[in-house]
Amino acid sequence: MRKVLKFGGSSMANAQQYAKVKSIVEYDESRRVVVVSAAGKRYQEDHKITDLLYLCHAHLKYGVSCDAVFEMIARRYLDIERELGLKTNLEREFAALRDKMDEGITEDELVSRGEYFSARLMADYLGFTFVDAAEWLLFNLDGSVDKETSYARLRALAQDKKIVTPGFYGAMVDGSIKTFSRGGSDITGALAAAALDADVYENWTDVSGILMADPRIVEDPEPIARVTYAELRELSYLGAQVLHEDTIFPVAERNIPLNIRNTNDPAHPGTIIMESFPNDEGEDDHRFITGIAGKKDYVILSIYKKGFSSQVGAQRRILEVVEEHKLSVEYTPNGIDTVSLVIPGKQFEKRRHSLIAALSERIEPDRIDITENIAVVAAVGRKMAFRPGISGKIFAALGEHGINIRMISQGPQEVNIIVGVDGKDFANTVRVLYNSFVK
């Protein structure tokens, strides 16, 4: 068995966290491949190393000294090296990096050094082989990952070794460093797991799995024990933030279980994510909701015209106008004489007048209504499709608490039920759904 582990910034924050990581890795012999992030915050007012590296580059760009910021970065890693009694000799590498910064360095290469230094220290601490991500993770010219080449390279480099590799970055064809978007170490871990056909991809962070609701809204929400990739996509899209969204795809393609665990509570089983759970029909049989998530600040644009439903191409013409204005449409709840579009509020506000003018000219509607400050809340659950009357129960619970539903959307696969409510009712909607169907 082979497990690939990714440790986030909070797990790499200081020497004490490194010790926790080592204990976790050594507890299970199958934990053979470790991917690490840059050092995160040690306390609330602290700085993430990646943020400081971005700040360094900004200083260099505008000709401002970054010596003080660079010293903060170097000191963090040198302190970890000293406290753990390592012989990595990062001081020499920091000196070389400082010289390169003076000569000229790209933003991507500079900000990638946080992960690089974390991996150098962790490899030394664990006694594993250090494998630079630039040696195996290759990007195409369009910025996508060359999976075939990357996978083959990692398989050759890892073979039967125990390795540590940095997250967040790889290399272009010419050897230059390229980074993912923020949070990209999750993607690196998933790619490594897929490349090596891992039995499990463990993603270690500072929470014990994915929570069933936002803890800022619901007090002490329960963690989700098991969730499918489809459910996670829905929850992630609607604001549940544990993994980088693109993390799911490499492991989902190969149906590799993804286990979210807590470095500070390693005994907790966390959340298991898989394509499906064929034997879970009897588990928590009374509970049909896997998780609840939502977003605020939407606009519902409703276009009325008699006979819309019988007009061929009516929706297409409307969506063409919206596309020309570079707006994304999240949902399209429609009626016989109405086409409604749910659009992010900030996007809509920038193009409000030109969009209404274009729709009026090309669609010639009877009227256009704009409903602002809408929040979207989704109850997500793979078991909802097998339970008659679920929608009615949800609507009844919201109605009993005086929450007015402004929009309803449900896909044919019935993995979620989405409601639009007034923005002021957002938090209460989440709490009502949780208290009614989870507690």
Side-chain angles (χ1 to χ4, degrees):
M1 176 176 281
R2 173 153 45 186
K3 294 179 180 179
V4 172
L5 292 74
K6 179 264 175 179
F7 289 93
S10 61
S11 304
M12 308 300 296
N14 54 34
Q16 291 72 33
Q17 292 299 95
Y18 270 63
K20 292 178 184 178
V21 170
K22 184 174 185 178
S23 177
I24 288 167
V25 173
E26 291 181 344
Y27 182 79
D28 186 342
E29 179 63 27
S30 64
R31 291 172 173 156
R32 304 176 59 82
V33 177
V34 176
V35 178
V36 296
S37 296
K41 291 185 178 183
R42 294 162 292 185
Y43 44 86
Q44 186 61 38
E45 296 77 21
D46 199 13
H47 300 284
K48 295 179 179 180
I49 289 296
T50 302
D51 290 339
L52 294 177
L53 287 165
Y54 274 114
L55 183 59
C56 260
H57 188 268
H59 283 194
L60 293 172
K61 182 178 179 180
Y62 294 104
V64 178
S65 172
C66 68
D67 289 346
V69 179
F70 187 79
E71 176 60 25
M72 290 173 63
I73 296 166
R75 182 49 49 203
R76 177 85 77 87
Y77 285 109
L78 293 174
D79 283 349
I80 293 172
E81 181 182 49
R82 175 181 52 79
E83 290 176 36
L84 296 178
L86 303 178
K87 305 294 184 183
T88 318
N89 196 9
L90 286 190
E91 194 160 357
R92 183 174 58 191
E93 296 206 40
F94 274 110
L97 175 60
R98 193 67 185 87
D99 290 341
K100 192 166 188 177
M101 289 165 62
D102 291 336
E103 297 166 3
I105 190 171
T106 66
E107 182 179 60
D108 277 16
E109 182 172 1
L110 180 55
V111 301
S112 73
R113 296 304 85 183
E115 277 73 15
Y116 172 84
F117 290 126
S118 288
R120 294 277 287 114
L121 289 175
M122 186 56 73
D124 189 3
Y125 189 41
L126 293 175
F128 283 18
T129 301
F130 170 76
V131 175
D132 195 341
E135 295 182 55
W136 69 271
L137 207 166
L138 185 67
F139 289 93
N140 295 309
L141 293 176
D142 64 359
S144 62
V145 175
D146 181 349
K147 290 184 180 179
E148 183 177 354
T149 302
S150 298
Y151 288 5
R153 286 187 177 185
L154 185 58
R155 284 194 293 268
L157 288 166
Q159 293 183 350
D160 296 326
K161 301 187 185 87
K162 294 182 176 182
I163 69 167
V164 176
T165 190
F168 187 43
Y169 72 91
M172 298 295 289
V173 177
D174 63 1
S176 61
I177 297 296
K178 176 176 172 54
T179 62
F180 290 108
S181 59
R182 294 297 295 268
S185 292
D186 288 334
I187 304 175
T188 306
L191 290 168
L196 300 172
D197 289 319
D199 295 279
V200 179
Y201 170 36
E202 294 182 347
N203 192 294
W204 291 83
T205 179
D206 55 2
V207 294
S208 297
I210 302 172
L211 300 177
M212 295 192 70
D214 189 334
R216 294 169 297 184
I217 298 174
V218 173
E219 185 178 356
D220 195 23
E222 294 184 29
I224 301 172
R226 307 206 291 184
V227 60
T228 64
Y229 290 121
E231 290 172 304
L232 183 62
R233 282 281 294 155
E234 295 287 346
L235 290 168
S236 177
Y237 184 74
L238 279 162
Q241 297 179 345
V242 174
L243 291 174
H244 191 291
E245 191 172 278
D246 292 336
T247 298
I248 300 168
F249 296 118
V251 287
E253 287 172 353
R254 303 197 174 204
N255 199 26
I256 296 171
L258 197 167
N259 190 191
I260 300 175
R261 304 284 292 274
N262 188 346
T263 302
N264 302 312
D265 185 12
H268 195 288
T271 299
I272 285 283
I273 308 162
M274 292 184 65
E275 184 67 31
S276 63
F277 296 95
N279 300 317
D280 71 347
E281 284 78 4
E283 181 184 329
D284 285 336
D285 199 49
H286 68 286
R287 182 179 294 171
F288 54 84
I289 289 180
T290 299
I292 301 161
K295 291 181 181 179
K296 296 190 285 187
D297 190 25
Y298 284 96
V299 168
I300 300 178
L301 186 68
S302 299
I303 303 138
Y304 295 84
K305 188 171 184 178
K306 289 182 179 179
F308 247 154
S309 60
S310 61
Q311 290 186 17
V312 177
Q315 288 194 42
R316 175 183 55 78
R317 293 195 301 274
I318 291 172
L319 292 173
E320 282 177 348
V321 174
V322 174
E323 182 182 2
E324 289 167 6
H325 284 74
K326 302 187 185 307
L327 294 169
S328 59
V329 177
E330 306 277 335
Y331 310 100
T332 56
N334 299 327
I336 296 174
D337 298 321
T338 314
V339 174
S340 295
L341 310 175
V342 181
I343 301 170
K346 289 181 179 178
Q347 290 186 25
F348 175 78
E349 191 56 40
K350 293 178 182 177
R351 301 166 179 83
R352 172 194 291 260
H353 300 295
S354 60
L355 175 64
I356 299 303
L359 287 170
S360 298
E361 178 183 351
R362 289 165 58 177
I363 307 301
E364 298 181 341
D366 296 333
R367 77 175 194 272
I368 297 176
D369 288 347
I370 301 170
T371 307
E372 301 184 72
N373 193 27
I374 293 294
V376 172
V377 179
V380 176
R382 62 189 178 276
K383 299 179 184 179
M384 291 196 298
F386 308 103
R387 301 289 187 84
I390 296 302
S391 298
K393 292 178 181 178
I394 288 175
F395 302 151
L398 295 176
E400 288 172 5
H401 288 81
I403 297 172
N404 186 27
I405 299 174
R406 308 299 299 275
M407 181 272 291
I408 301 168
S409 178
Q410 183 175 16
Q413 293 185 342
E414 298 185 42
V415 74
N416 62 23
I417 296 174
I418 299 166
V419 296
V421 299
D422 290 328
K424 63 180 176 58
D425 292 326
F426 173 69
N428 196 32
T429 300
V430 173
R431 281 192 288 266
V432 167
L433 291 176
Y434 185 87
N435 293 335
S436 300
F437 302 108
V438 176
K439 288 184 76 172

